[in-house]
Amino acid sequence: MLDANMFVFYVDNPTASKDFYQNLLSQPAVEASPTFAMFRFSSGVLLGLWSKHTVEPKAGEITASGELGFAVASNQVVDDYYQQWKQKGVSILQTPQMMDFGYTFTAEDPDGHRLRVFAISE
């Protein structure tokens, strides 16, 4: 079975998106050029940010229609990230709240990709 280890978001401006994610994640990109940037999480998973204007093969209409999830250890950690991201000026779509699967909030990056921080209910 294949093991997925990289996710790519198509973005309008890879440099601006790189700056956003460096600020959000408090870590530098492992690769950066005018058309692409990449981050490596401690899990080994990679997040690529590729210019929607140069991706090959060309993509159709690009809309943000998914989420990048960040599982954390507790509701308190969810609240901590919520406060940190708000202070960094990140656009918040959903304030922290309990949902069927656990405690969560949702933000978005400059291209509208959703970023969900959550703690699973026990």
Side-chain angles (χ1 to χ4, degrees), residues 56-109:
E56 291 292 339
K58 297 279 185 221
E61 181 181 349
I62 296 172
T63 61
S65 61
E67 296 182 348
L68 181 59
F70 300 90
V72 298
S74 69
N75 293 1
Q76 182 59 56
V77 177
V78 171
D79 286 335
D80 292 346
Y81 275 107
Y82 172 72
Q83 290 302 324
Q84 289 172 23
W85 289 13
K86 262 184 50 176
Q87 290 174 354
K88 291 181 178 194
V90 176
S91 175
I92 303 295
L93 300 175
Q94 175 192 41
T95 59
Q97 60 188 263
M98 188 60 70
M99 297 186 71
D100 291 345
F101 57 87
Y103 190 63
T104 187
F105 78 90
T106 308
E108 68 179 344
D109 76 5

Side-chain angles (χ1 to χ4, degrees), residues 43-61:
S43 64
V45 171
L46 301 169
L47 172 62
L49 306 168
W50 197 345
S51 170
K52 66 183 181 181
H53 308 289
T54 63
V55 64
E56 291 292 339
K58 297 279 185 221
E61 181 181 349

Side-chain angles (χ1 to χ4, degrees), residues 15-64:
T15 301
S17 291
K18 172 191 62 82
D19 293 344
F20 172 85
Y21 279 98
Q22 282 183 160
N23 183 42
L24 185 75
L25 302 172
S26 299
Q27 70 181 46
V30 296
E31 181 180 330
S33 74
T35 60
F36 185 81
M38 185 165 46
F39 291 86
R40 180 183 311 275
F41 295 99
S42 60
S43 64
V45 171
L46 301 169
L47 172 62
L49 306 168
W50 197 345
S51 170
K52 66 183 181 181
H53 308 289
T54 63
V55 64
E56 291 292 339
K58 297 279 185 221
E61 181 181 349
I62 296 172
T63 61

